[in-house]
mmCIF file of all heavy atoms in Angstrom:
data_model
loop_
_atom_site.group_PDB
_atom_site.id
_atom_site.type_symbol
_atom_site.label_atom_id
_atom_site.label_comp_id
_atom_site.label_asym_id
_atom_site.label_seq_id
_atom_site.Cartn_x
_atom_site.Cartn_y
_atom_site.Cartn_z
ATOM 1 N N MET A 114 29.355 -139.028 142.044
ATOM 2 C CA MET A 114 28.243 -138.656 141.151
ATOM 3 C C MET A 114 28.205 -137.147 140.914
ATOM 4 O O MET A 114 27.813 -136.698 139.852
ATOM 5 C CB MET A 114 26.909 -139.174 141.720
ATOM 6 C CG MET A 114 26.770 -140.664 141.583
ATOM 7 S SD MET A 114 27.010 -141.214 139.851
ATOM 8 C CE MET A 114 28.502 -142.163 139.994
ATOM 9 N N MET A 115 28.629 -136.368 141.904
ATOM 10 C CA MET A 115 28.745 -134.922 141.665
ATOM 11 C C MET A 115 29.741 -134.676 140.525
ATOM 12 O O MET A 115 29.484 -133.860 139.632
ATOM 13 C CB MET A 115 29.230 -134.198 142.921
ATOM 14 C CG MET A 115 28.164 -134.096 144.003
ATOM 15 S SD MET A 115 28.800 -133.288 145.480
ATOM 16 C CE MET A 115 29.091 -131.622 144.868
ATOM 17 N N THR A 116 30.840 -135.389 140.552
ATOM 18 C CA THR A 116 31.855 -135.234 139.491
ATOM 19 C C THR A 116 31.263 -135.673 138.152
ATOM 20 O O THR A 116 31.393 -134.967 137.146
ATOM 21 C CB THR A 116 33.106 -136.086 139.841
ATOM 22 O OG1 THR A 116 33.482 -135.792 141.188
ATOM 23 C CG2 THR A 116 34.258 -135.765 138.925
ATOM 24 N N ALA A 117 30.579 -136.816 138.152
ATOM 25 C CA ALA A 117 30.029 -137.344 136.899
ATOM 26 C C ALA A 117 28.978 -136.412 136.303
ATOM 27 O O ALA A 117 28.865 -136.295 135.077
ATOM 28 C CB ALA A 117 29.441 -138.731 137.147
ATOM 29 N N PHE A 118 28.204 -135.763 137.166
ATOM 30 C CA PHE A 118 27.102 -134.917 136.676
ATOM 31 C C PHE A 118 27.448 -133.419 136.717
ATOM 32 O O PHE A 118 26.566 -132.576 136.561
ATOM 33 C CB PHE A 118 25.819 -135.209 137.472
ATOM 34 C CG PHE A 118 25.196 -136.524 137.110
ATOM 35 C CD1 PHE A 118 25.607 -137.703 137.732
ATOM 36 C CD2 PHE A 118 24.230 -136.613 136.120
ATOM 37 C CE1 PHE A 118 25.061 -138.926 137.395
ATOM 38 C CE2 PHE A 118 23.663 -137.835 135.773
ATOM 39 C CZ PHE A 118 24.082 -139.001 136.408
ATOM 40 N N ASN A 119 28.726 -133.122 136.916
ATOM 41 C CA ASN A 119 29.190 -131.719 136.938
ATOM 42 C C ASN A 119 28.438 -130.855 137.936
ATOM 43 O O ASN A 119 28.089 -129.703 137.641
ATOM 44 C CB ASN A 119 29.093 -131.091 135.536
ATOM 45 C CG ASN A 119 29.995 -131.801 134.556
ATOM 46 O OD1 ASN A 119 31.161 -132.030 134.857
ATOM 47 N ND2 ASN A 119 29.445 -132.185 133.416
ATOM 48 N N ILE A 120 28.165 -131.398 139.090
ATOM 49 C CA ILE A 120 27.589 -130.604 140.182
ATOM 50 C C ILE A 120 28.760 -130.218 141.083
ATOM 51 O O ILE A 120 29.494 -131.086 141.561
ATOM 52 C CB ILE A 120 26.504 -131.398 140.942
ATOM 53 C CG1 ILE A 120 25.380 -131.753 139.960
ATOM 54 C CG2 ILE A 120 25.962 -130.583 142.121
ATOM 55 C CD1 ILE A 120 24.316 -132.665 140.544
ATOM 56 N N GLU A 121 28.961 -128.923 141.247
ATOM 57 C CA GLU A 121 30.278 -128.461 141.709
ATOM 58 C C GLU A 121 30.336 -127.983 143.163
ATOM 59 O O GLU A 121 31.403 -127.615 143.639
ATOM 60 C CB GLU A 121 30.739 -127.323 140.785
ATOM 61 C CG GLU A 121 30.946 -127.805 139.356
ATOM 62 C CD GLU A 121 31.082 -126.695 138.348
ATOM 63 O OE1 GLU A 121 30.952 -125.508 138.745
ATOM 64 O OE2 GLU A 121 31.300 -126.994 137.172
ATOM 65 N N ASN A 122 29.200 -127.942 143.857
ATOM 66 C CA ASN A 122 29.184 -127.324 145.191
ATOM 67 C C ASN A 122 28.661 -128.297 146.244
ATOM 68 O O ASN A 122 27.559 -128.819 146.113
ATOM 69 C CB ASN A 122 28.278 -126.086 145.181
ATOM 70 C CG ASN A 122 28.712 -125.097 144.121
ATOM 71 O OD1 ASN A 122 29.778 -124.488 144.227
ATOM 72 N ND2 ASN A 122 27.909 -124.948 143.065
ATOM 73 N N ILE A 123 29.437 -128.481 147.296
ATOM 74 C CA ILE A 123 28.980 -129.350 148.393
ATOM 75 C C ILE A 123 29.197 -128.670 149.744
ATOM 76 O O ILE A 123 30.238 -128.072 149.996
ATOM 77 C CB ILE A 123 29.692 -130.737 148.373
ATOM 78 C CG1 ILE A 123 29.148 -131.625 149.512
ATOM 79 C CG2 ILE A 123 31.210 -130.623 148.426
ATOM 80 C CD1 ILE A 123 29.509 -133.103 149.385
ATOM 81 N N VAL A 124 28.158 -128.753 150.574
ATOM 82 C CA VAL A 124 28.279 -128.347 151.981
ATOM 83 C C VAL A 124 28.256 -129.633 152.791
ATOM 84 O O VAL A 124 27.362 -130.473 152.605
ATOM 85 C CB VAL A 124 27.106 -127.437 152.420
ATOM 86 C CG1 VAL A 124 27.257 -127.057 153.896
ATOM 87 C CG2 VAL A 124 27.019 -126.198 151.553
ATOM 88 N N PHE A 125 29.240 -129.793 153.676
ATOM 89 C CA PHE A 125 29.343 -131.038 154.442
ATOM 90 C C PHE A 125 29.137 -130.794 155.930
ATOM 91 O O PHE A 125 29.666 -129.837 156.505
ATOM 92 C CB PHE A 125 30.720 -131.696 154.208
ATOM 93 C CG PHE A 125 30.912 -132.931 155.042
ATOM 94 C CD1 PHE A 125 30.192 -134.084 154.769
ATOM 95 C CD2 PHE A 125 31.779 -132.928 156.133
ATOM 96 C CE1 PHE A 125 30.341 -135.222 155.560
ATOM 97 C CE2 PHE A 125 31.930 -134.057 156.920
ATOM 98 C CZ PHE A 125 31.207 -135.209 156.632
#
Side-chain angles (χ1 to χ4, degrees):
M114 287 306 114
M115 287 178 66
T116 310
F118 286 86
N119 297 312
I120 299 174
E121 296 166 357
N122 304 292
I123 182 166
V124 179
F125 176 70

